[in-house]
Amino acid sequence: PTVPTGLAATVNALTISVTWAASTDNRAVTSYEITRTGGPQGTVTTTSTTTSRLDSGLTARTAYTYTVRALDAAGNRSAASAPVSATTGDAPPPPAGGTPLGGDPREDTIYFVMTARFADGDPTNNRGGSQHVKSGNAANNDPMFRGDFRGLIDKLDYVKGLGFSALWITPVVLNRSDYDFHGYHGWDFHRIDPRLETPGASYQDLINAAHAKGIKIFQDVVYNHSSRWGAKGLFTPTVYGVRDEQWKWYYSRQEPGRQYDPMVEHTGTDPELTPAQNALAKGRPYNGDLWSGTAPAGNQCLRWGTPSGAYSPEGYTIYNCQWPGATTKHFPADLYHQCWIGNWEGEDSRSCWLHEDLADFNTENPTVQQYLIDVYNRYIDMGVDGFRIDTAVHIPRVTWNRRFLPAIQQHAVARHGEKGKDFYVFGEVAAFVNDKWNRGSVNHSAQFFTWKERKEYSPDDVRAAIEQYDYEQLLGPNGQPTSDNAFLRGNDYHTPDHSKFSGMNVIDMRMHMNFGDANNAYWNGKDSDDSYNDATYNVVYVDSHDYGPNKSQQRYAGGTDAWAENMSLMWTFRGIPTLYYGSEIEFAKGARIDCGPTCPLATTGRAYYGDHLAGTVTASDFGVVASASGAVAATLDKPLVKHVQRLNQIRRAIPALQKGQYSTAGITGNMAFKRRYTAGAVDSFALVTISGGATFTGIPDGTYVDAVTGDTKTVTNGTLTATVSGQGNLRVYVLSLPGNPAPGRIGTAGPYLK
């Protein structure tokens, strides 16, 4: 084989990433032999089947030298490459760390916030970015990065006062794009985005403050992609750039050693630029670390720096290789996939780019896997209580099951012991259809990701992903495993069988898609429950930062009564209720959820919420506000706020509503079911009907007390009839059992529960 060329070494603290250009051979190159010299271990030789090696756990401030040889199928070895050397940096300080709260996540309800849009605790870290004026945000004095951790810390009592015991927050890693307030354009995954932190209000401070109030932190994480500018410490592409009269406003003057820092934006006062160019440059952070007038070593981007024939909106010449993309070959194929998704329910949706701003990791590569595992172990160390996994469906289940999920589970337990066993993982497996199996494709259905693999696949993850896809697709929906983990056996709870559980729970996409009407959500959700490993762990929401029901582009606008009914269902049916920030006052209802920088954020479903939180609030317990003043007092007086507060109080008091299995056998009524949870000394049995009456037959005799009204019924013939009317109203009759008395009426009558 030919000698490897183009060796490059990138340092990130005690990690060195070595990359090289692929060798060629008439028999095919099968692997590479990497020899490292330096450090206390002396000479170390390892192998790789890809053209990269991530060397971690090295000694601080130490020089290391690498050479690479290629091996072919016949066992031939090339000569050693030219050496490349790099010196490690300082050891990162050990994480201050924190401790998760632990406990069954089904006991929680979740409040979901976009941190940058929730509450502005410290305006000094606000940043508008390069699109501040173009988007219309400047006219509203509404920078995209406005909310921060200080704001969240200050308003934790608001969250607790609503009754929520968990916060799902958008990604916290340092982002890099023109419009990245949402957090999904990660660039430096090892660093918290400084636009969210201020002195005394770091991410660790938020975690600690939330835990002190009994509130968990579920961190949104991304394994599928980075920003279009790659991931620092893994690979950052170099693009063609030129500081000519057309483009010098776009390309920063290069300064040796200077790095990207979004806190330092171009002020628009560069004397080298014309007023028009300064206006275009305003708000842009430094990008001199990304571009070069000459092609870098190993460049594979074709026609480097030649005019493409296209022009920018300003009329400027666009050059080839000026921006990275899926097919430009700026990224090495071993670290990043190099295609666009064609079929969203096909295999390519798991191995191609979603969008031009989302460079798709080659998650089948061990180097990429280790990079991501190391990154997210840091946040486990900080004490977060779980991960919400973005775009989970775009990574093969076999990769999750063999690599990422075991790494999460093992590290959480190693770091936090028994509390680590409760680390909660829920994935976004986006399926925007109303059928049980997403267009018949099991590989793209939410239920599929809750199961372990059923057979062994090739050791190579690329091949294994194809093998798994073909195997499961051939078996189809009728060949998938089923479970009764969510269902009662008669009136009896049984110990669930989680032996085939993958470690990933999911967002209930089918209920979400049908929440235009609570009745549709209920019946569609029920129809899928035998196909999840355990549907009682599903995360259930009406709308989010992406979509409303039926893939609507608008925040839910079904009306206050419909919202109340949706909440009553979510808080009593199986699954973990989740509310997107502001829905408790129908905030931004009907607004388009997202339109990028083409319209002001204030007109969208991602509008700034903090104005409704101005003032002070103190919570004395979950769902109980001791005092409030200012605008937040008026917010807390809204009808849906009262509703969700009482629902949270009721759910917290009745274990069956949190963790119970359910059944509809012997029940006449529309949204009506019975639930039971039994563990140790706890035995909780409840009968639920929503919005309309129901009759329950074949139930245990005894005394039942309604948690909403306090009404008591004595059952002697196995039958109970519950009468209720009004959209969103509810009855929860709890059976008094030895050692488990019914709690009686919980909370005070409100606009819907009465």
Side-chain angles (χ1 to χ4, degrees):
T2 60
V3 177
T5 60
L7 263 69
T10 303
V11 174
N12 184 24
L14 304 187
T15 298
I16 297 177
S17 175
V18 183
T19 60
W20 57 91
S23 297
T24 59
D25 185 75
N26 61 354
R27 287 178 174 264
V29 173
T30 57
S31 62
Y32 295 90
E33 184 180 271
I34 307 100
T35 300
R36 182 190 77 204
T37 58
Q41 291 180 308
T43 300
V44 176
T45 299
T46 55
T47 60
S48 173
T49 58
T50 66
T51 57
S52 64
R53 168 70 180 173
L54 189 65
D55 216 5
S56 57
L58 303 176
T59 304
R61 295 178 174 269
T62 301
Y64 292 90
T65 300
Y66 297 84
T67 58
V68 179
R69 298 175 186 267
L71 285 72
D72 68 10
N76 299 313
R77 298 163 74 244
S78 75
S81 68
V84 64
S85 296
T87 300
T88 52
D90 292 325
T99 303
L101 291 178
D104 194 317
R106 297 173 297 175
E107 297 173 5
D108 299 302
T109 56
I110 302 171
Y111 192 69
F112 170 35
V113 302
M114 298 193 81
T115 306
R117 307 303 301 157
F118 185 64
D120 186 8
D122 188 340
T124 63
N125 61 355
N126 292 358
R127 292 296 182 275
S130 63
Q131 305 299 306
H132 189 49
V133 173
K134 179 181 177 181
S135 64
N137 290 338
N140 294 318
N141 193 25
D142 184 28
M144 60 170 182
F145 268 90
R146 188 171 178 184
D148 49 31
F149 294 145
R150 168 53 64 197
L152 265 177
I153 291 170
D154 290 346
K155 300 305 176 184
L156 285 172
D157 270 45
Y158 174 77
V159 175
K160 186 170 184 174
L162 293 177
F164 292 95
S165 55
L167 266 174
W168 158 15
I169 61 172
T170 40
V172 302
V173 303
L174 175 56
N175 270 230
R176 188 166 192 172
S177 83
D178 287 340
Y179 213 56
D180 53 9
F181 65 94
H182 43 69
Y184 298 99
H185 292 166
W187 181 67
D188 189 344
F189 287 72
H190 292 91
R191 185 181 174 195
I192 307 299
D193 200 304
R195 293 167 289 186
L196 299 176
E197 292 192 306
T198 47
S202 67
Y203 186 35
Q204 188 69 66
D205 291 327
L206 169 63
I207 294 168
N208 296 345
H211 286 173
K213 292 185 180 294
I215 297 173
K216 294 179 179 178
I217 296 291
F218 294 148
Q219 178 181 328
D220 210 322
V221 296
V222 186
Y223 285 74
N224 176 68
H225 58 261
S226 68
S227 73
R228 77 186 312 170
W229 302 110
K232 186 179 180 183
L234 180 69
F235 184 81
T236 298
T238 298
V239 298
Y240 173 74
V242 57
R243 296 197 85 238
D244 61 13
E245 284 306 307
Q246 291 186 340
W247 286 109
K248 64 182 179 181
W249 63 273
Y250 184 84
Y251 293 108
S252 304
R253 187 188 307 107
Q254 292 177 325
E255 301 174 38
R258 185 175 177 185
Q259 292 286 315
Y260 166 72
D261 182 354
M263 296 298 290
V264 182
E265 296 181 340
H266 196 288
T267 61
T269 58
D270 188 336
E272 289 188 13
L273 304 182
T274 66
Q277 290 171 333
N278 265 308
L280 289 170
K282 190 171 183 179
R284 293 187 177 276
Y286 178 77
N287 67 5
D289 56 333
L290 294 178
W291 66 271
S292 173
T294 57
N299 171 62
Q300 296 186 51
C301 184
L302 300 177
R303 296 179 293 279
W304 176 272
T306 60
S308 68
Y311 296 89
S312 74
E314 300 85 4
Y316 304 151
T317 298
I318 292 178
Y319 298 91
N320 287 302
C321 307
Q322 200 167 2
W323 288 283
T327 58
T328 61
K329 297 189 181 297
H330 279 98
F331 291 93
D334 60 323
L335 301 180
Y336 281 86
H337 292 131
Q338 299 192 341
C339 54
W340 297 105
I341 294 176
N343 178 3
W344 287 82
E345 276 74 42
E347 201 286 325
D348 62 333
S349 75
R350 310 188 308 165
S351 57
C352 297
W353 287 38
L354 295 167
H355 188 269
E356 64 180 7
D357 273 339
L358 308 177
D360 198 79
F361 285 128
N362 182 353
T363 49
E364 294 76 57
N365 183 325
T367 297
V368 176
Q369 292 168 0
Q370 193 60 53
Y371 175 84
L372 292 167
I373 289 168
D374 289 345
V375 158
Y376 289 122
N377 280 350
R378 175 195 174 184
Y379 301 104
I380 295 173
D381 291 343
M382 293 177 76
V384 298
D385 301 274
F387 288 158
R388 180 267 186 180
I389 297 179
D390 180 72
T391 51
V393 69
H394 298 293
I395 295 175
R397 186 184 77 178
V398 69
T399 306
W400 284 116
N401 284 347
R402 297 206 305 196
R403 311 302 177 199
F404 296 131
L405 293 172
I408 292 171
Q409 294 155 2
Q410 291 163 13
H411 192 77
V413 172
R415 177 76 179 188
H416 301 297
E418 286 298 312
K419 289 184 176 181
K421 293 179 181 179
D422 296 324
F423 194 89
Y424 181 57
V425 176
F426 61 106
E428 178 203 23
V429 183
F432 298 115
V433 293
N434 293 328
D435 51 353
K436 181 173 181 177
W437 294 97
N438 185 44
R439 294 189 178 90
S441 174
V442 296
N443 283 281
H444 298 87
S445 301
Q447 312 96 292
F448 182 74
F449 282 76
T450 65
W451 296 94
K452 286 182 176 178
E453 301 309 323
R454 294 184 281 171
K455 69 184 297 289
E456 291 291 327
Y457 299 104
S458 298
D460 176 71
D461 282 6
V462 175
R463 180 173 294 179
I466 302 296
E467 290 173 351
Q468 183 222 43
Y469 183 89
D470 292 342
Y471 176 76
E472 296 289 357
Q473 207 71 359
L474 183 62
L475 288 175
N478 293 330
Q480 297 305 306
T482 58
S483 166
D484 71 346
N485 283 338
F487 305 124
L488 293 174
R489 294 175 179 171
N491 292 313
D492 297 328
Y493 179 88
H494 62 93
T495 302
D497 177 8
H498 293 149
S499 62
K500 298 178 181 178
F501 175 50
S502 67
M504 183 188 292
N505 300 286
V506 290
I507 294 167
D508 197 317
M509 275 289 162
R510 195 169 180 202
M511 286 195 74
H512 162 58
M513 286 296 294
N514 284 281
F515 256 120
D517 178 83
N519 188 58
N520 283 341
Y522 169 65
W523 289 99
N524 275 276
K526 216 159 66 72
D527 180 50
S528 298
D529 283 355
D530 63 344
S531 297
Y532 295 99
N533 181 267
D534 191 341
T536 66
Y537 287 87
N538 286 10
V539 166
V540 183
Y541 60 59
V542 173
D543 62 359
S544 72
H545 58 326
D546 288 324
Y547 293 102
N550 291 311
K551 207 177 182 181
S552 167
Q553 301 290 326
Q554 288 76 39
R555 284 193 74 158
Y556 183 72
T560 311
D561 293 350
W563 249 125
E565 186 174 53
N566 286 340
M567 290 180 183
S568 291
L569 173 62
M570 287 194 291
W571 262 254
T572 57
F573 190 44
R574 58 92 184 124
I576 302 173
T578 300
L579 199 68
Y580 184 39
Y581 80 96
S583 292
E584 64 273 21
I585 63 168
E586 297 177 88
F587 177 65
K589 65 180 179 181
R592 184 173 176 180
I593 292 173
D594 175 36
C595 57
T598 64
C599 70
L601 278 167
T603 65
T604 73
R606 298 175 173 185
Y608 176 67
Y609 190 58
D611 293 339
H612 297 276
L613 303 176
T616 62
V617 57
T618 302
S620 57
D621 201 351
F622 290 98
V624 181
V625 173
S627 63
S629 64
V632 71
T635 298
L636 289 164
D637 201 41
K638 299 290 186 181
L640 288 178
V641 169
K642 301 296 186 186
H643 188 54
V644 78
Q645 285 175 317
R646 194 171 186 206
L647 285 171
N648 271 318
Q649 292 170 7
I650 290 171
R651 190 177 186 274
R652 288 180 67 84
I654 304 172
L657 299 185
Q658 304 165 14
K659 299 172 282 191
Q661 295 163 342
Y662 76 94
S663 172
T664 58
I667 301 172
T668 58
N670 194 14
M671 288 185 287
F673 43 89
K674 55 187 175 182
R675 298 190 68 186
R676 191 171 204 155
Y677 176 74
T678 307
V682 175
D683 190 1
S684 177
F685 184 75
L687 310 175
V688 179
T689 184
I690 300 164
S691 296
T695 297
F696 301 83
T697 62
I699 60 173
D701 290 342
T703 300
Y704 290 79
V705 184
D706 177 29
V708 176
T709 64
D711 178 51
T712 299
K713 294 184 183 294
T714 301
V715 173
T716 58
N717 62 354
T719 300
L720 183 151
T721 297
T723 302
V724 63
S725 62
Q727 192 174 13
N729 204 352
L730 178 72
R731 295 292 177 263
V732 183
Y733 280 93
V734 181
L735 175 62
S736 276
L737 290 163
N740 293 274
R745 177 173 172 159
I746 300 168
T748 58
Y752 293 99
L753 300 183
K754 53 190 176 181

